[in-house]
């Protein structure tokens, strides 16, 4: 397991690694995000991302999920929360980045291990139920950083999310006293929907407008000094068209209290913003080029 960020230069390439926990409410889009990232459908020459590959079997399974769910219109199962934290899957991915757009040989290899925490973990936090909670918090405390996935259209849940996240942050602070600051990326998902898309380049503004209480809480933790916080907007689906973009989205059913959706046109699948939060979590530096992808 990776303990913390390490970075080493070998020739022209640079190696970075990170160990990330993906947390958020049920249906916030965590598993879809990881599946979209693993299958990285975009191969534009202007993108900083050269390739994403699986580095273990679980990572390969993610690619399979993307094929089924997004491309063939199958619905993704809710992620189960295993009884033992050791049974939770480690998704291994390698993200290869160019150092500058258009550059050929100066590469950054970002080796990532991710754990997809079931939304059930988040409800357990809110209800302070679930005997396994403590074990999971211990596991979270080992991570390089945490991605907090929030469905951008779920602004009515703002107050509820504050309670859950505050409990998690308090518990993590108690779990052990790290010499370094912890990083938390607040990631708004499904940003191709509603008016999120037109404001996707202002993620902090968007997050504060839609989730004012949650952002205030995160900012106060940051002021307190133990946490670093940054804001991101992503869409696993993306849009169709450039001049008059519309969501690449087809509703297939209303299920599990939410709308289940698949890509309308898998051939023109262009997710947005997927790598930026990971890069920041692993390096502490925001790469604004990645906010354009
Ligand atoms: N419009 C849109 N829908 C999305 C996006 N990402 C995920 N969804 C949909 O949101 C629903 C929930 O996605 P999941 O990835 O299963 O959510 P989850 O957070 O893993 O849920 P749990 O495993 O229950 O915790 C699915 O119907 C997805 O198709 C997105 O970028 N845009
Ligand atoms: Mg899931």
């Amino acid at each position: 397991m990776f303990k913390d960020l390490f970075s080493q230069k070998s020739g022209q390439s640079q190696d970075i690694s990170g160990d990330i926990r993906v947390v958020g409410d049920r249906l916030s889009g965590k598993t879809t995000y990881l599946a979209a990232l693993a299958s990285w459908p975009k191969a534009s020459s202007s993108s900083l991302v050269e390739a994403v590959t699986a580095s273990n079997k679980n990572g390969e399974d993610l690619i399979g999920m993307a094929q089924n769910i997004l491309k063939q219109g199958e619905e993704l199962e809710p992620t189960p929360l295993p009884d033992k934290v050791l049974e939770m899957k480690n998704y291994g991915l390698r993200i290869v980045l160019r150092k500058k757009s258009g550059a050929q040989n100066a590469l950054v290899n970002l080796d990532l291990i991710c754990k997809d925490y079931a939304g059930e973990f988040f409800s357990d936090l809110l209800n302070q139920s679930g005997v396994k909670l403590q074990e999971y918090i211990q596991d979270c405390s080992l991570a390089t950083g945490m991605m907090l996935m929030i469905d951008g259209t779920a602004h009515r849940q703002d107050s509820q999310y504050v309670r859950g996240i505050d409990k998690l942050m308090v518990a993590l602070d108690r779990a052990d006293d790290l010499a370094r600051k912890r990083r938390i990326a607040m990631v708004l998902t499904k940003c191709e929907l509603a008016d999120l898309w037109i404001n996707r380049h202002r993620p902090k503004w968007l997050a504060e407008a839609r989730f004012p209480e949650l952002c205030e809480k995160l900012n106060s933790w940051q002021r307190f000094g133990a946490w670093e916080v940054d804001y991101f907007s992503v869409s696993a689906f993306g849009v169709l068209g450039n001049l008059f973009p519309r969501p690449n989205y087809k509703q297939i059913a209303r299920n599990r209290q939410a709308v289940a959706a698949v890509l309308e046109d898998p051939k023109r699948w262009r997710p947005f913003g997927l790598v930026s939060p990971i890069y920041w979590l692993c390096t502490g530096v925001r790469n604004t080029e990645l906010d354009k992808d």
Side-chain angles (χ1 to χ4, degrees):
M1 178 176 292
F2 301 111
K3 271 200 164 157
D4 195 0
L5 165 76
F6 71 88
S7 162
Q8 92 197 31
K9 283 186 176 143
S10 59
Q12 283 190 312
S13 73
Q14 186 186 4
D15 297 320
I16 299 170
S17 70
D19 181 12
I20 285 175
R21 304 292 179 272
V22 183
V23 300
D25 200 2
R26 280 237 170 276
L27 299 165
S28 56
K30 301 177 293 297
T31 312
T32 310
Y33 166 86
L34 288 174
L37 175 69
S39 48
W40 194 254
K42 198 164 37 174
S44 127
S45 57
S46 65
S47 170
L48 270 200
V49 183
E50 170 102 0
V52 181
T53 50
S55 50
N56 66 8
K57 170 76 176 67
N58 293 333
E60 282 167 19
D61 291 347
L62 275 178
I63 300 174
M65 277 187 222
Q67 296 294 330
N68 298 339
I69 319 152
L70 294 163
K71 296 200 164 176
Q72 289 170 26
E74 284 176 26
E75 202 192 346
L76 195 57
E77 292 291 317
T79 307
L81 191 67
D83 282 334
K84 291 199 167 38
V85 81
L86 284 176
E87 289 163 13
M88 193 152 47
K89 283 184 180 169
N90 256 327
Y91 293 109
L93 298 175
R94 166 170 276 205
I95 303 171
V96 182
L97 300 170
R98 299 184 189 102
K99 282 192 179 162
K100 273 196 261 143
S101 30
Q104 285 303 310
N105 39 19
L107 297 176
V108 179
N109 298 314
L110 218 165
D111 281 307
L112 195 67
I113 290 289
C114 295
K115 286 187 188 168
D116 177 7
Y117 272 48
E120 195 183 328
F121 168 75
F122 205 74
S123 15
D124 282 358
L125 264 179
L126 282 167
N127 307 323
Q128 214 53 305
S129 63
V131 273
K132 40 201 164 178
L133 199 54
Q134 204 46 45
E135 205 185 323
Y136 277 88
I137 284 167
Q138 197 61 42
D139 176 68
C140 261
S141 76
L142 302 172
T144 314
M146 191 160 52
M147 285 182 77
L148 171 63
M149 308 295 270
I150 303 283
D151 180 331
T153 64
H155 42 277
R156 286 189 198 87
Q157 312 284 340
D158 189 19
S159 318
Q160 198 182 341
Y161 288 164
V162 178
R163 285 195 293 119
I165 283 304
D166 199 41
K167 281 181 185 162
L168 180 58
M169 289 168 115
V170 169
L172 283 172
D173 259 20
R174 281 201 200 120
D176 67 348
D177 39 14
L178 273 187
R180 63 176 169 83
K181 288 186 182 184
R182 294 182 190 285
R183 282 186 202 122
I184 182 164
M186 175 171 165
V187 180
L188 293 180
T189 61
K190 312 188 185 181
C191 280
E192 86 286 358
L193 296 177
D195 56 346
L196 295 163
W197 185 254
I198 48 171
N199 291 305
R200 69 193 180 283
H201 295 305
R202 303 198 279 169
K204 185 166 192 225
W205 179 88
L206 206 48
E208 284 174 345
R210 297 214 152 209
F211 299 90
E213 291 182 48
L214 180 55
C215 292
E216 179 44 40
K217 181 56 79 181
L218 291 173
N219 290 339
S220 70
W221 274 100
Q222 176 153 262
R223 284 195 297 273
F224 181 63
W227 290 81
E228 278 179 81
V229 183
D230 212 346
Y231 299 85
F232 300 85
S233 51
V234 304
S235 168
F237 285 11
V239 294
L240 292 169
N242 291 322
L243 213 49
F244 302 104
R246 65 188 163 88
N248 190 353
Y249 164 89
K250 189 168 71 179
Q251 182 175 329
I252 48 169
R254 272 199 165 265
N255 235 331
R256 296 197 280 142
Q257 299 113 34
V259 177
V262 289
L263 292 167
E264 183 187 315
D265 184 351
K267 289 202 187 66
R268 290 193 286 160
W269 181 20
R270 286 181 304 153
F272 171 79
L274 303 186
V275 179
S276 188
I278 292 173
Y279 187 89
W280 177 75
L281 283 172
C282 295
T283 63
V285 179
R286 184 156 191 147
N287 186 331
T288 49
E289 281 286 304
L290 289 171
D291 289 327
K292 296 176 192 159
D293 274 329

